Amino acid sequence: MTTMGIDPAQLSDDDLVRELRQLHTTRSDTFFHGSDDALEHHTSRTNELEAEYLRRCPDREVDPARLREGARQRS
């Protein structure tokens, strides 16, 4: 299956982040109210963009509070 949109490798860093933020914003609405086709496209495009982001930023900053140890400390 192919998704619509610009090849993620062709996006600038700013455009890639903007596209990812938009997809994450619309995920819940697509999941609960979108057609099966819309959900499939949304998932595929999200996967493409996330893979490209991780390729570009393998050493991205990870918030220690988002790790298991951080969760245990909050408990």
Side-chain angles (χ1 to χ4, degrees), residues 4-74:
M4 297 189 296
I6 298 171
D7 178 355
Q10 301 302 314
L11 294 170
S12 69
D13 289 347
D14 288 342
D15 287 339
L16 178 61
V17 170
R18 181 181 46 78
E19 290 289 320
L20 278 167
R21 289 189 188 285
Q22 180 61 28
L23 282 169
H24 284 264
T25 298
T26 60
R27 181 63 182 178
S28 182
D29 194 46
T30 303
F31 180 78
F32 286 111
H33 307 291
S35 67
D36 290 344
D37 188 51
L39 181 59
E40 190 173 334
H41 280 288
H42 197 281
T43 300
S44 179
R45 184 63 173 171
T46 300
N47 289 341
E48 287 178 347
L49 293 171
E50 286 178 348
E52 178 62 21
Y53 182 85
L54 292 174
R55 185 189 70 74
R56 292 184 194 186
C57 305
D59 298 322
R60 73 193 193 287
E61 181 181 338
V62 176
D63 182 350
R66 301 295 307 227
L67 302 173
R68 280 188 198 146
E69 186 174 320
R72 287 185 194 119
Q73 290 174 0
R74 286 192 305 271

